[in-house]
Amino acid sequence: MKAHTPFVLTIFLVSIKSSSQPIKISEFGISQLFLWNKTAIFDAYSGARSSRKTGQAWSYGTNINYSHSFYKNVYANIGLGYFHQRFGIHRGFDFEEPTTATGLFYNTDNYSYKTLQYFGGLGYSKRIARQNKKIIPGNSEIRLLVLYNIFNTYQQMFQHEFEGNFLNNPNPQIRKSKYYYGSSLTVKGGLVSPVVKRIKVGIDLVVPVYNRWRKDAIFREDPDKYHGTDFSFGTSINFIYDLN
């Protein structure tokens, strides 16, 4: 998928004169992330009737991270957290019927993977000129960050289309397998502003430019293979504690 220039950066880089003085970064952050995805998969479950199916869903997560200056305005960022990857695709799956065996054909309404997320990357920060502080707080910064993410799942949820616990069979079906689930490359761009002493708040536009999700045997797929996401974007809200 082609990366799009974050609109936050476009607005500020065009309209705001930036300071050339290097920025020293040493800080801890907490980030709340929201990502929308549109994903198309080849549904192999139905055999000869197999086709491509598409769905949309919001995913979300929370992480803690540390940033430190690397060279001039370049900084490194590492962190870990929780991420809930969701898919809104209606597709056949092997639903277990522990209470009442019906032999019915089950389709997912949605399904998701709860994961532990680990990431690292490099960013670039530029301070906004002081003469603009009437519009934007003084010492605010424009930041661009590229991150590589690794996801390990520990719980998987499959919600079928029947109402409630159909015939006393649980809905959703929950599986608690632990394994490497996938990876992604994301680009984040936005604004960071001071609020009170040592405390900053930031908001980013987030664009995953690459996703790689492990396929699942519950859909009669080969779990040694992977699929991607057709299009995804979102935002993150960041609370930062400055160590300088």
Side-chain angles (χ1 to χ4, degrees), residues 26 56 76 106 123 126 189 193 203 222:
S26 180
Q56 306 171 13
Y106 286 87
K126 198 80 169 175
S193 296
I203 185 166
D222 183 349

Side-chain angles (χ1 to χ4, degrees), residues 44-222:
Y45 189 91
S46 302
R49 296 176 297 167
S50 297
S51 62
R52 287 185 65 82
K53 295 185 177 180
T54 303
Q56 306 171 13
W58 281 94
S59 302
Y60 54 87
T62 304
N63 67 68
I64 56 174
N65 56 83
Y66 175 70
S67 298
H68 191 82
S69 292
F70 183 76
Y71 174 75
K72 292 186 178 180
N73 286 7
V74 178
Y75 64 95
N77 178 273
I78 58 172
L80 56 86
Y82 159 82
F83 188 70
H84 192 173
Q85 175 65 36
R86 300 179 67 251
F87 298 97
I89 304 173
H90 298 257
R91 59 188 303 198
F93 76 113
D94 290 332
F95 177 68
E96 295 179 4
E97 299 179 308
T99 305
T100 307
T102 67
L104 291 173
F105 180 83
Y106 286 87
N107 275 300
T108 56
D109 179 72
N110 63 80
Y111 57 98
S112 62
Y113 298 80
K114 292 184 178 181
T115 72
L116 295 177
Q117 176 188 9
Y118 309 90
F119 58 87
L122 293 177
Y124 183 82
S125 183
K126 198 80 169 175
R127 185 164 284 124
I128 297 170
R130 283 187 171 273
Q131 58 263 38
N132 297 289
K133 64 183 179 180
K134 291 183 179 178
I135 302 173
I136 297 171
N139 293 322
S140 293
E141 304 163 34
I142 296 169
R143 294 189 181 182
L144 179 67
L145 178 63
V146 179
L147 291 173
Y148 181 73
N149 308 274
I150 294 173
F151 303 93
N152 291 325
T153 182
Y154 61 90
Q155 186 181 99
Q156 307 80 43
M157 301 175 64
F158 306 92
Q159 180 91 32
H160 63 65
E161 294 179 312
F162 294 110
E163 292 292 332
N165 291 344
F166 182 65
L167 298 177
N168 292 320
N169 289 318
N171 189 25
Q173 177 176 318
I174 297 176
R175 188 182 67 200
K176 295 183 179 180
S177 300
K178 297 178 181 179
Y179 57 91
Y180 168 76
Y181 179 56
S183 60
S184 72
L185 184 69
T186 56
V187 177
K188 302 174 63 175
L191 179 70
V192 172
S193 296
V195 179
V196 295
K197 186 178 180 180
R198 293 187 179 274
I199 304 298
K200 301 177 182 178
V201 173
I203 185 166
D204 291 317
L205 177 69
V206 183
V207 180
V209 296
Y210 171 79
N211 291 291
R212 187 171 180 261
W213 308 120
R214 184 180 290 275
K215 293 185 176 183
D216 200 314
I218 202 170
F219 300 117
R220 300 184 183 177
E221 297 174 323
D222 183 349

